[in-house]
Amino acid sequence: MKLNNILNANTWLFLELVIITVVAWAVFEPAVVNLYYRSLPLGYDNSQLLYAETAVGGEYLMDENGTPHDPYEITQERRQQMLRQLSDVEGVASVYLYDDNYGSVGFTFHAYAICNYEGDTTYVASVNFVPESHFFETYGLRPLPGSPSAEQLSHIQNLDRQVVLTRSGAISLFGTTDVVGRKFTIIYQEPFEVTVAGVVEDFRKSVSNTMRSLIITAQELQHTECYYIIRLKDGLDAHRFVEEHGQDIIRSGKTGFNRISRLTTFDEHLRQMELDDGRTQEVNRSLALAFFFLVNLMLAVIGTVWLHAKRRTEECGVRRAFGATRRRVLFDFLWRNALLATAAVVIGCIIYLNYAHSGIQVYNGEENYETLYTMTGMDLPTDKTWVDHFWPHFLVVSAIVYLIILCTVLIGTAIPAVKIIRTRITNALRDE
């Protein structure tokens, strides 16, 4: 049967599916994109990481000579004492100690470095680390071949004028990952030249941060109100470790001027950061809306298709009276509505394409898609995925919408169709 005959016999169903496609595109797009972002790997093994916060008690401390000292003041002795609080705990493999989560891993705020190489200026996301605190090995960041080991990279000092790049960061600046020993300029107040000490595999600072082009620079501890990242030894479960030893560590984690106030898994810390950033609510809202729409979509389509199928009960009885098998009749039901759904989705996506394309804005030679759902970030090519390109974004979401509507229509068709073809031929011929 030709498509126009199917459309003439099912005009209202076709128009309903076109409208549903347009609405489904708007509803499912945020859910699809958010699920994709959630599926992206962090780039480091966070399953055995713990996160601890500290608090400083008292205004001033007296040393053995009676001299008062600011409890927030960091010294090498205090630093080593704080590291030993957790380094000596059984089951702990390494500890990273830092004092400012502004540019740290696990924090959602974006810090940038303005980098210049051979006259080209590039904004690269910046991550700070404290030297001599096992940053690279604690997080499990993996150096590329030709780069120093993680332990060696953790010893870089802020006065060395050396930096570490991620794979994407190296490609953004130099176009290649073979950059150890190369120099470029960071523009900050007074420009200064730095040397690339190593390159590590890509990683993301947090779940809600999609940028992988990173420059990692050393920064000394400033005060004693610090945070810990703790890597457990292989085979230990982070959740169980916190449950069994968390309170003991908190009670014993005190140096006289500094105490551990909170200990949790790093996964829980990431979830809390995402919650504080508003991303959790946004993701949950998009998924809840998509689920609610999907349930109502199935009910509406099944009801509409049921009515259309019931009208063909007599036709089915006639066909079966002339020798058509139940399987053949069921197949005819399914393929006709599948063809109808396909045509409706094509028209609906074309309508939405016109709307989506109208939102393209060009700023400084870069296209921004204001009508498509994305997470804003740096527009570096190495950080972009299919979500950040118009046609891949549109086609992927359209394909998912098509599959959802097609499956819904087929289910909605199969339920009444099976009941109809099981009706006795004599009863089907008498059906009005």
Side-chain angles (χ1 to χ4, degrees):
M1 182 180 289
K2 294 182 180 180
L3 177 60
N4 60 338
N5 293 335
I6 298 177
L7 292 177
N8 290 334
N10 303 275
T11 303
W12 287 110
L13 177 59
F14 174 76
L15 293 177
E16 179 181 335
L17 289 175
V18 170
I19 296 173
I20 286 175
T21 298
V22 175
V23 178
W25 222 104
V27 171
F28 287 121
E29 183 201 14
V32 170
V33 173
N34 279 318
L35 285 176
Y36 170 73
Y37 282 141
R38 283 288 182 89
S39 70
L40 292 175
L42 285 172
Y44 52 90
D45 180 16
N46 60 310
S47 61
Q48 290 185 290
L49 292 182
L50 305 180
Y51 170 82
E53 295 177 355
T54 68
V56 177
E59 296 184 358
Y60 288 94
L61 297 172
M62 298 291 182
D63 61 15
E64 61 276 8
N65 299 319
T67 305
H69 291 275
D70 186 347
Y72 288 89
E73 179 187 356
I74 191 70
T75 63
Q76 185 65 21
E77 181 182 358
R78 286 184 174 181
R79 173 179 172 174
Q80 294 302 321
Q81 189 179 7
M82 293 172 70
L83 281 172
R84 284 196 298 271
Q85 288 183 100
L86 293 174
S87 299
D88 295 338
V89 174
E90 184 178 357
V92 171
S94 64
V95 178
Y96 171 60
L97 177 67
Y98 63 105
D99 65 353
D100 187 3
N101 59 7
Y102 175 85
S104 69
V105 178
F107 193 63
T108 56
F109 194 86
H110 304 316
Y112 301 104
I114 307 174
C115 305
N116 185 281
Y117 176 69
E118 294 185 346
D120 294 328
T121 299
T122 305
Y123 285 79
V124 182
S126 177
V127 173
N128 298 325
F129 79 96
V130 178
E132 308 294 344
S133 285
H134 308 290
F135 170 79
F136 290 92
E137 56 266 44
T138 299
Y139 277 107
L141 304 183
R142 296 164 294 163
L144 269 59
S147 294
S149 66
E151 293 80 1
Q152 291 173 311
L153 294 177
S154 291
H155 289 296
I156 294 174
Q157 303 294 322
N158 60 338
L159 297 179
D160 294 340
R161 295 290 176 92
Q162 291 184 318
V163 299
V164 179
L165 299 174
T166 58
R167 178 188 291 272
S168 293
I171 294 175
S172 295
L173 283 170
F174 300 99
T176 179
T177 59
D178 185 17
V179 297
V180 175
R182 291 198 185 185
K183 299 180 183 296
F184 65 95
T185 301
I186 295 179
I187 303 174
Y188 178 74
Q189 295 178 346
E190 293 294 329
F192 59 94
E193 190 176 61
V194 296
T195 303
V196 179
V199 181
V200 296
E201 291 288 357
D202 284 341
F203 65 91
R204 298 187 296 133
K205 287 177 55 180
S206 63
V207 176
S208 58
N209 190 319
T210 60
M211 291 181 293
R212 302 180 304 277
S213 295
L214 304 174
I215 176 173
I216 309 169
T217 57
Q219 178 175 297
E220 295 291 342
L221 282 173
Q222 301 297 319
H223 47 73
T224 57
E225 190 174 27
C226 297
Y227 309 86
Y228 295 93
I229 302 297
I230 306 149
R231 175 164 293 281
L232 300 177
K233 293 180 179 179
D234 292 339
L236 294 180
D237 180 81
H239 291 277
R240 179 175 296 180
F241 188 90
V242 171
E243 291 176 358
E244 295 179 353
H245 307 289
Q247 291 303 315
D248 292 337
I249 291 175
I250 290 175
R251 282 194 296 268
S252 61
K254 185 176 182 181
T255 61
F257 55 89
N258 183 283
R259 62 181 177 84
I260 296 174
S261 58
R262 175 172 171 255
L263 178 70
T264 184
T265 65
F266 193 73
D267 282 340
E268 180 60 33
H269 168 62
L270 291 178
R271 283 193 289 269
Q272 186 61 49
M273 288 294 100
E274 194 177 18
L275 181 65
D276 294 342
D277 198 40
R279 281 290 300 155
T280 300
Q281 298 90 324
E282 185 177 352
V283 172
N284 292 342
R285 184 167 54 248
S286 67
L287 295 178
L289 182 60
F291 178 77
F292 177 79
F293 181 81
L294 180 61
V295 172
N296 285 273
L297 170 65
M298 294 187 68
L299 294 176
V301 171
I302 289 174
T304 305
V305 173
W306 186 292
L307 292 176
H308 281 267
K310 285 288 289 182
R311 295 173 186 172
R312 297 179 57 194
T313 301
E314 185 177 356
E315 175 192 338
C316 293
V318 172
R319 293 187 60 193
R320 288 184 57 204
F322 279 90
T325 63
R326 290 180 175 178
R327 180 177 296 181
R328 179 64 186 178
V329 173
L330 177 61
F331 177 77
D332 286 345
F333 267 108
L334 294 176
W335 84 261
R336 288 183 184 186
N337 282 349
L339 185 61
L340 188 72
T342 301
V345 170
V346 169
I347 299 301
C349 287
I350 290 175
I351 294 173
Y352 202 91
L353 173 63
N354 184 61
Y355 163 73
H357 200 271
S358 68
I360 297 179
Q361 303 291 334
V362 180
Y363 300 107
N364 299 322
E366 289 286 336
E367 289 187 346
N368 293 273
Y369 314 119
E370 297 183 354
T371 50
L372 294 182
Y373 182 90
T374 60
M375 288 174 57
T376 58
M378 289 176 49
D379 295 325
L380 291 175
T382 50
D383 291 327
K384 291 185 177 181
T385 64
W386 63 267
V387 172
D388 305 297
H389 300 278
F390 183 85
W391 283 109
H393 186 131
F394 181 81
L395 293 175
V396 168
V397 176
S398 295
I400 293 174
V401 169
Y402 170 65
L403 290 175
I404 291 174
I405 292 180
L406 179 63
C407 291
T408 303
V409 169
L410 291 178
I411 293 172
T413 303
I415 293 174
V418 169
K419 183 176 181 179
I420 290 170
I421 63 178
R422 288 179 177 176
T423 305
R424 297 170 66 91
I425 295 178
T426 53
N427 293 337
L429 292 174
R430 289 198 302 265
D431 191 82
E432 296 182 357

PDB file of all heavy atoms in Angstrom, residues 138-169:
ATOM      1  N   THR A 138      48.572  10.156  43.714  1.00  0.00           N
ATOM      2  CA  THR A 138      47.369   9.965  44.516  1.00  0.00           C
ATOM      3  C   THR A 138      46.123   9.930  43.642  1.00  0.00           C
ATOM      4  O   THR A 138      45.257   9.064  43.801  1.00  0.00           O
ATOM      5  CB  THR A 138      47.238  11.073  45.576  1.00  0.00           C
ATOM      6  OG1 THR A 138      48.373  11.028  46.446  1.00  0.00           O
ATOM      7  CG2 THR A 138      45.970  10.880  46.401  1.00  0.00           C
ATOM      8  N   TYR A 139      46.024  10.873  42.713  1.00  0.00           N
ATOM      9  CA  TYR A 139      44.879  10.858  41.801  1.00  0.00           C
ATOM     10  C   TYR A 139      44.982   9.742  40.765  1.00  0.00           C
ATOM     11  O   TYR A 139      43.982   9.359  40.160  1.00  0.00           O
ATOM     12  CB  TYR A 139      44.748  12.205  41.080  1.00  0.00           C
ATOM     13  CG  TYR A 139      44.033  13.251  41.893  1.00  0.00           C
ATOM     14  CD1 TYR A 139      44.724  14.307  42.471  1.00  0.00           C
ATOM     15  CD2 TYR A 139      42.655  13.182  42.090  1.00  0.00           C
ATOM     16  CE1 TYR A 139      44.065  15.274  43.218  1.00  0.00           C
ATOM     17  CE2 TYR A 139      41.993  14.148  42.841  1.00  0.00           C
ATOM     18  CZ  TYR A 139      42.706  15.181  43.391  1.00  0.00           C
ATOM     19  OH  TYR A 139      42.045  16.133  44.134  1.00  0.00           O
ATOM     20  N   GLY A 140      46.177   9.226  40.553  1.00  0.00           N
ATOM     21  CA  GLY A 140      46.350   8.178  39.555  1.00  0.00           C
ATOM     22  C   GLY A 140      46.418   8.719  38.144  1.00  0.00           C
ATOM     23  O   GLY A 140      45.999   8.033  37.197  1.00  0.00           O
ATOM     24  N   LEU A 141      46.939   9.933  37.976  1.00  0.00           N
ATOM     25  CA  LEU A 141      47.093  10.519  36.641  1.00  0.00           C
ATOM     26  C   LEU A 141      48.228   9.808  35.909  1.00  0.00           C
ATOM     27  O   LEU A 141      49.287   9.547  36.486  1.00  0.00           O
ATOM     28  CB  LEU A 141      47.359  12.017  36.747  1.00  0.00           C
ATOM     29  CG  LEU A 141      46.309  12.822  37.531  1.00  0.00           C
ATOM     30  CD1 LEU A 141      46.651  14.296  37.508  1.00  0.00           C
ATOM     31  CD2 LEU A 141      44.914  12.587  36.959  1.00  0.00           C
ATOM     32  N   ARG A 142      48.019   9.527  34.639  1.00  0.00           N
ATOM     33  CA  ARG A 142      48.944   8.674  33.893  1.00  0.00           C
ATOM     34  C   ARG A 142      49.778   9.490  32.915  1.00  0.00           C
ATOM     35  O   ARG A 142      49.232  10.052  31.952  1.00  0.00           O
ATOM     36  CB  ARG A 142      48.164   7.612  33.133  1.00  0.00           C
ATOM     37  CG  ARG A 142      47.406   6.640  34.037  1.00  0.00           C
ATOM     38  CD  ARG A 142      46.372   5.879  33.255  1.00  0.00           C
ATOM     39  NE  ARG A 142      45.319   6.767  32.779  1.00  0.00           N
ATOM     40  CZ  ARG A 142      44.465   6.447  31.795  1.00  0.00           C
ATOM     41  NH1 ARG A 142      44.573   5.296  31.183  1.00  0.00           N
ATOM     42  NH2 ARG A 142      43.526   7.300  31.429  1.00  0.00           N
ATOM     43  N   PRO A 143      51.092   9.584  33.129  1.00  0.00           N
ATOM     44  CA  PRO A 143      51.964  10.294  32.183  1.00  0.00           C
ATOM     45  C   PRO A 143      52.024   9.572  30.843  1.00  0.00           C
ATOM     46  O   PRO A 143      51.969   8.330  30.779  1.00  0.00           O
ATOM     47  CB  PRO A 143      53.330  10.296  32.885  1.00  0.00           C
ATOM     48  CG  PRO A 143      53.030  10.021  34.325  1.00  0.00           C
ATOM     49  CD  PRO A 143      51.825   9.144  34.326  1.00  0.00           C
ATOM     50  N   LEU A 144      52.144  10.338  29.758  1.00  0.00           N
ATOM     51  CA  LEU A 144      52.318   9.763  28.429  1.00  0.00           C
ATOM     52  C   LEU A 144      53.744   9.259  28.268  1.00  0.00           C
ATOM     53  O   LEU A 144      54.653   9.703  28.989  1.00  0.00           O
ATOM     54  CB  LEU A 144      52.009  10.803  27.360  1.00  0.00           C
ATOM     55  CG  LEU A 144      50.555  10.881  26.854  1.00  0.00           C
ATOM     56  CD1 LEU A 144      49.588  11.187  27.982  1.00  0.00           C
ATOM     57  CD2 LEU A 144      50.429  11.908  25.736  1.00  0.00           C
ATOM     58  N   PRO A 145      53.967   8.337  27.328  1.00  0.00           N
ATOM     59  CA  PRO A 145      55.344   7.893  27.052  1.00  0.00           C
ATOM     60  C   PRO A 145      56.242   9.084  26.723  1.00  0.00           C
ATOM     61  O   PRO A 145      55.857   9.985  25.979  1.00  0.00           O
ATOM     62  CB  PRO A 145      55.175   6.964  25.849  1.00  0.00           C
ATOM     63  CG  PRO A 145      53.765   6.469  25.953  1.00  0.00           C
ATOM     64  CD  PRO A 145      52.976   7.602  26.509  1.00  0.00           C
ATOM     65  N   GLY A 146      57.442   9.083  27.294  1.00  0.00           N
ATOM     66  CA  GLY A 146      58.366  10.191  27.088  1.00  0.00           C
ATOM     67  C   GLY A 146      58.307  11.238  28.175  1.00  0.00           C
ATOM     68  O   GLY A 146      59.164  12.131  28.226  1.00  0.00           O
ATOM     69  N   SER A 147      57.290  11.158  29.053  1.00  0.00           N
ATOM     70  CA  SER A 147      57.163  12.092  30.165  1.00  0.00           C
ATOM     71  C   SER A 147      57.732  11.469  31.438  1.00  0.00           C
ATOM     72  O   SER A 147      57.776  10.244  31.568  1.00  0.00           O
ATOM     73  CB  SER A 147      55.698  12.469  30.388  1.00  0.00           C
ATOM     74  OG  SER A 147      55.188  13.193  29.291  1.00  0.00           O
ATOM     75  N   PRO A 148      58.170  12.284  32.386  1.00  0.00           N
ATOM     76  CA  PRO A 148      58.624  11.750  33.678  1.00  0.00           C
ATOM     77  C   PRO A 148      57.498  10.990  34.375  1.00  0.00           C
ATOM     78  O   PRO A 148      56.321  11.126  34.032  1.00  0.00           O
ATOM     79  CB  PRO A 148      59.025  13.007  34.459  1.00  0.00           C
ATOM     80  CG  PRO A 148      59.290  14.043  33.411  1.00  0.00           C
ATOM     81  CD  PRO A 148      58.342  13.746  32.299  1.00  0.00           C
ATOM     82  N   SER A 149      57.841  10.208  35.376  1.00  0.00           N
ATOM     83  CA  SER A 149      56.850   9.440  36.118  1.00  0.00           C
ATOM     84  C   SER A 149      55.963  10.364  36.948  1.00  0.00           C
ATOM     85  O   SER A 149      56.277  11.551  37.148  1.00  0.00           O
ATOM     86  CB  SER A 149      57.553   8.446  37.030  1.00  0.00           C
ATOM     87  OG  SER A 149      58.281   9.125  38.044  1.00  0.00           O
ATOM     88  N   ALA A 150      54.860   9.805  37.448  1.00  0.00           N
ATOM     89  CA  ALA A 150      53.955  10.583  38.287  1.00  0.00           C
ATOM     90  C   ALA A 150      54.675  11.097  39.534  1.00  0.00           C
ATOM     91  O   ALA A 150      54.474  12.242  39.957  1.00  0.00           O
ATOM     92  CB  ALA A 150      52.745   9.736  38.673  1.00  0.00           C
ATOM     93  N   GLU A 151      55.517  10.261  40.136  1.00  0.00           N
ATOM     94  CA  GLU A 151      56.258  10.674  41.322  1.00  0.00           C
ATOM     95  C   GLU A 151      57.182  11.852  41.025  1.00  0.00           C
ATOM     96  O   GLU A 151      57.289  12.789  41.823  1.00  0.00           O
ATOM     97  CB  GLU A 151      57.080   9.501  41.872  1.00  0.00           C
ATOM     98  CG  GLU A 151      56.242   8.366  42.440  1.00  0.00           C
ATOM     99  CD  GLU A 151      55.691   7.434  41.358  1.00  0.00           C
ATOM    100  OE1 GLU A 151      55.976   7.671  40.158  1.00  0.00           O
ATOM    101  OE2 GLU A 151      54.973   6.485  41.708  1.00  0.00           O
ATOM    102  N   GLN A 152      57.845  11.817  39.876  1.00  0.00           N
ATOM    103  CA  GLN A 152      58.748  12.914  39.508  1.00  0.00           C
ATOM    104  C   GLN A 152      57.974  14.203  39.241  1.00  0.00           C
ATOM    105  O   GLN A 152      58.407  15.296  39.629  1.00  0.00           O
ATOM    106  CB  GLN A 152      59.564  12.515  38.275  1.00  0.00           C
ATOM    107  CG  GLN A 152      60.589  11.418  38.542  1.00  0.00           C
ATOM    108  CD  GLN A 152      61.248  10.932  37.259  1.00  0.00           C
ATOM    109  OE1 GLN A 152      60.574  10.627  36.276  1.00  0.00           O
ATOM    110  NE2 GLN A 152      62.583  10.866  37.276  1.00  0.00           N
ATOM    111  N   LEU A 153      56.843  14.088  38.594  1.00  0.00           N
ATOM    112  CA  LEU A 153      56.051  15.284  38.302  1.00  0.00           C
ATOM    113  C   LEU A 153      55.532  15.940  39.578  1.00  0.00           C
ATOM    114  O   LEU A 153      55.393  17.163  39.644  1.00  0.00           O
ATOM    115  CB  LEU A 153      54.872  14.929  37.391  1.00  0.00           C
ATOM    116  CG  LEU A 153      55.228  14.471  35.970  1.00  0.00           C
ATOM    117  CD1 LEU A 153      53.973  14.086  35.207  1.00  0.00           C
ATOM    118  CD2 LEU A 153      55.987  15.566  35.218  1.00  0.00           C
ATOM    119  N   SER A 154      55.269  15.136  40.605  1.00  0.00           N
ATOM    120  CA  SER A 154      54.769  15.691  41.873  1.00  0.00           C
ATOM    121  C   SER A 154      55.815  16.519  42.601  1.00  0.00           C
ATOM    122  O   SER A 154      55.480  17.267  43.525  1.00  0.00           O
ATOM    123  CB  SER A 154      54.285  14.563  42.792  1.00  0.00           C
ATOM    124  OG  SER A 154      53.123  13.959  42.289  1.00  0.00           O
ATOM    125  N   HIS A 155      57.086  16.410  42.207  1.00  0.00           N
ATOM    126  CA  HIS A 155      58.162  17.159  42.862  1.00  0.00           C
ATOM    127  C   HIS A 155      58.425  18.516  42.212  1.00  0.00           C
ATOM    128  O   HIS A 155      59.282  19.270  42.674  1.00  0.00           O
ATOM    129  CB  HIS A 155      59.449  16.337  42.867  1.00  0.00           C
ATOM    130  CG  HIS A 155      59.401  15.164  43.791  1.00  0.00           C
ATOM    131  ND1 HIS A 155      59.280  15.286  45.154  1.00  0.00           N
ATOM    132  CD2 HIS A 155      59.458  13.831  43.549  1.00  0.00           C
ATOM    133  CE1 HIS A 155      59.258  14.098  45.716  1.00  0.00           C
ATOM    134  NE2 HIS A 155      59.365  13.181  44.755  1.00  0.00           N
ATOM    135  N   ILE A 156      57.704  18.848  41.140  1.00  0.00           N
ATOM    136  CA  ILE A 156      57.914  20.140  40.488  1.00  0.00           C
ATOM    137  C   ILE A 156      57.585  21.270  41.466  1.00  0.00           C
ATOM    138  O   ILE A 156      56.570  21.238  42.161  1.00  0.00           O
ATOM    139  CB  ILE A 156      57.026  20.255  39.234  1.00  0.00           C
ATOM    140  CG1 ILE A 156      57.463  19.227  38.180  1.00  0.00           C
ATOM    141  CG2 ILE A 156      57.084  21.660  38.645  1.00  0.00           C
ATOM    142  CD1 ILE A 156      56.548  19.183  36.974  1.00  0.00           C
ATOM    143  N   GLN A 157      58.464  22.279  41.515  1.00  0.00           N
ATOM    144  CA  GLN A 157      58.275  23.420  42.412  1.00  0.00           C
ATOM    145  C   GLN A 157      57.723  24.605  41.628  1.00  0.00           C
ATOM    146  O   GLN A 157      57.937  24.735  40.418  1.00  0.00           O
ATOM    147  CB  GLN A 157      59.596  23.801  43.070  1.00  0.00           C
ATOM    148  CG  GLN A 157      60.252  22.670  43.844  1.00  0.00           C
ATOM    149  CD  GLN A 157      59.442  22.246  45.047  1.00  0.00           C
ATOM    150  OE1 GLN A 157      58.854  23.079  45.738  1.00  0.00           O
ATOM    151  NE2 GLN A 157      59.403  20.938  45.311  1.00  0.00           N
ATOM    152  N   ASN A 158      57.031  25.517  42.334  1.00  0.00           N
ATOM    153  CA  ASN A 158      56.458  26.667  41.641  1.00  0.00           C
ATOM    154  C   ASN A 158      57.530  27.624  41.134  1.00  0.00           C
ATOM    155  O   ASN A 158      57.275  28.411  40.219  1.00  0.00           O
ATOM    156  CB  ASN A 158      55.472  27.408  42.554  1.00  0.00           C
ATOM    157  CG  ASN A 158      56.136  27.927  43.814  1.00  0.00           C
ATOM    158  OD1 ASN A 158      57.176  27.435  44.229  1.00  0.00           O
ATOM    159  ND2 ASN A 158      55.524  28.934  44.431  1.00  0.00           N
ATOM    160  N   LEU A 159      58.725  27.570  41.698  1.00  0.00           N
ATOM    161  CA  LEU A 159      59.803  28.439  41.227  1.00  0.00           C
ATOM    162  C   LEU A 159      60.550  27.838  40.035  1.00  0.00           C
ATOM    163  O   LEU A 159      61.392  28.509  39.433  1.00  0.00           O
ATOM    164  CB  LEU A 159      60.794  28.705  42.370  1.00  0.00           C
ATOM    165  CG  LEU A 159      60.230  29.460  43.590  1.00  0.00           C
ATOM    166  CD1 LEU A 159      61.315  29.621  44.639  1.00  0.00           C
ATOM    167  CD2 LEU A 159      59.679  30.821  43.175  1.00  0.00           C
ATOM    168  N   ASP A 160      60.230  26.603  39.686  1.00  0.00           N
ATOM    169  CA  ASP A 160      60.925  25.951  38.574  1.00  0.00           C
ATOM    170  C   ASP A 160      60.465  26.454  37.208  1.00  0.00           C
ATOM    171  O   ASP A 160      61.111  26.178  36.196  1.00  0.00           O
ATOM    172  CB  ASP A 160      60.712  24.431  38.633  1.00  0.00           C
ATOM    173  CG  ASP A 160      61.364  23.803  39.856  1.00  0.00           C
ATOM    174  OD1 ASP A 160      62.275  24.451  40.425  1.00  0.00           O
ATOM    175  OD2 ASP A 160      60.974  22.685  40.231  1.00  0.00           O
ATOM    176  N   ARG A 161      59.329  27.175  37.187  1.00  0.00           N
ATOM    177  CA  ARG A 161      58.738  27.620  35.921  1.00  0.00           C
ATOM    178  C   ARG A 161      58.495  26.429  34.991  1.00  0.00           C
ATOM    179  O   ARG A 161      58.744  26.493  33.795  1.00  0.00           O
ATOM    180  CB  ARG A 161      59.629  28.664  35.238  1.00  0.00           C
ATOM    181  CG  ARG A 161      59.776  29.973  36.016  1.00  0.00           C
ATOM    182  CD  ARG A 161      58.449  30.752  35.997  1.00  0.00           C
ATOM    183  NE  ARG A 161      58.515  31.958  36.796  1.00  0.00           N
ATOM    184  CZ  ARG A 161      58.856  33.156  36.336  1.00  0.00           C
ATOM    185  NH1 ARG A 161      59.218  33.268  35.070  1.00  0.00           N
ATOM    186  NH2 ARG A 161      58.867  34.206  37.122  1.00  0.00           N
ATOM    187  N   GLN A 162      58.019  25.344  35.583  1.00  0.00           N
ATOM    188  CA  GLN A 162      57.667  24.168  34.806  1.00  0.00           C
ATOM    189  C   GLN A 162      56.184  23.870  34.992  1.00  0.00           C
ATOM    190  O   GLN A 162      55.620  24.107  36.065  1.00  0.00           O
ATOM    191  CB  GLN A 162      58.490  22.954  35.237  1.00  0.00           C
ATOM    192  CG  GLN A 162      59.965  23.035  34.875  1.00  0.00           C
ATOM    193  CD  GLN A 162      60.700  21.763  35.239  1.00  0.00           C
ATOM    194  OE1 GLN A 162      60.477  21.201  36.310  1.00  0.00           O
ATOM    195  NE2 GLN A 162      61.575  21.298  34.366  1.00  0.00           N
ATOM    196  N   VAL A 163      55.558  23.349  33.951  1.00  0.00           N
ATOM    197  CA  VAL A 163      54.141  23.013  34.010  1.00  0.00           C
ATOM    198  C   VAL A 163      53.933  21.621  33.409  1.00  0.00           C
ATOM    199  O   VAL A 163      54.810  21.087  32.721  1.00  0.00           O
ATOM    200  CB  VAL A 163      53.273  24.033  33.243  1.00  0.00           C
ATOM    201  CG1 VAL A 163      53.421  25.427  33.834  1.00  0.00           C
ATOM    202  CG2 VAL A 163      53.613  24.029  31.760  1.00  0.00           C
ATOM    203  N   VAL A 164      52.779  21.070  33.688  1.00  0.00           N
ATOM    204  CA  VAL A 164      52.371  19.785  33.104  1.00  0.00           C
ATOM    205  C   VAL A 164      51.092  20.029  32.314  1.00  0.00           C
ATOM    206  O   VAL A 164      50.219  20.782  32.760  1.00  0.00           O
ATOM    207  CB  VAL A 164      52.137  18.727  34.202  1.00  0.00           C
ATOM    208  CG1 VAL A 164      51.680  17.401  33.590  1.00  0.00           C
ATOM    209  CG2 VAL A 164      53.402  18.528  35.028  1.00  0.00           C
ATOM    210  N   LEU A 165      50.985  19.419  31.150  1.00  0.00           N
ATOM    211  CA  LEU A 165      49.802  19.552  30.310  1.00  0.00           C
ATOM    212  C   LEU A 165      49.083  18.213  30.201  1.00  0.00           C
ATOM    213  O   LEU A 165      49.691  17.152  30.319  1.00  0.00           O
ATOM    214  CB  LEU A 165      50.180  20.018  28.896  1.00  0.00           C
ATOM    215  CG  LEU A 165      50.881  21.371  28.773  1.00  0.00           C
ATOM    216  CD1 LEU A 165      51.319  21.606  27.333  1.00  0.00           C
ATOM    217  CD2 LEU A 165      49.951  22.496  29.225  1.00  0.00           C
ATOM    218  N   THR A 166      47.770  18.280  29.988  1.00  0.00           N
ATOM    219  CA  THR A 166      47.045  17.075  29.602  1.00  0.00           C
ATOM    220  C   THR A 166      47.237  16.858  28.103  1.00  0.00           C
ATOM    221  O   THR A 166      47.726  17.736  27.385  1.00  0.00           O
ATOM    222  CB  THR A 166      45.552  17.208  29.905  1.00  0.00           C
ATOM    223  OG1 THR A 166      45.032  18.350  29.209  1.00  0.00           O
ATOM    224  CG2 THR A 166      45.311  17.359  31.401  1.00  0.00           C
ATOM    225  N   ARG A 167      46.857  15.681  27.639  1.00  0.00           N
ATOM    226  CA  ARG A 167      46.988  15.377  26.212  1.00  0.00           C
ATOM    227  C   ARG A 167      46.276  16.437  25.358  1.00  0.00           C
ATOM    228  O   ARG A 167      46.843  16.963  24.399  1.00  0.00           O
ATOM    229  CB  ARG A 167      46.404  13.992  25.919  1.00  0.00           C
ATOM    230  CG  ARG A 167      46.449  13.594  24.450  1.00  0.00           C
ATOM    231  CD  ARG A 167      45.670  12.311  24.218  1.00  0.00           C
ATOM    232  NE  ARG A 167      46.327  11.161  24.819  1.00  0.00           N
ATOM    233  CZ  ARG A 167      47.246  10.430  24.197  1.00  0.00           C
ATOM    234  NH1 ARG A 167      47.616  10.751  22.960  1.00  0.00           N
ATOM    235  NH2 ARG A 167      47.774   9.386  24.803  1.00  0.00           N
ATOM    236  N   SER A 168      45.017  16.763  25.706  1.00  0.00           N
ATOM    237  CA  SER A 168      44.263  17.754  24.942  1.00  0.00           C
ATOM    238  C   SER A 168      44.864  19.137  25.085  1.00  0.00           C
ATOM    239  O   SER A 168      44.846  19.937  24.137  1.00  0.00           O
ATOM    240  CB  SER A 168      42.795  17.766  25.390  1.00  0.00           C
ATOM    241  OG  SER A 168      42.148  16.557  25.044  1.00  0.00           O
ATOM    242  N   GLY A 169      45.404  19.440  26.275  1.00  0.00           N
ATOM    243  CA  GLY A 169      46.048  20.736  26.462  1.00  0.00           C
ATOM    244  C   GLY A 169      47.274  20.891  25.594  1.00  0.00           C
ATOM    245  O   GLY A 169      47.519  21.964  25.014  1.00  0.00           O
TER     246      GLY A 169
END
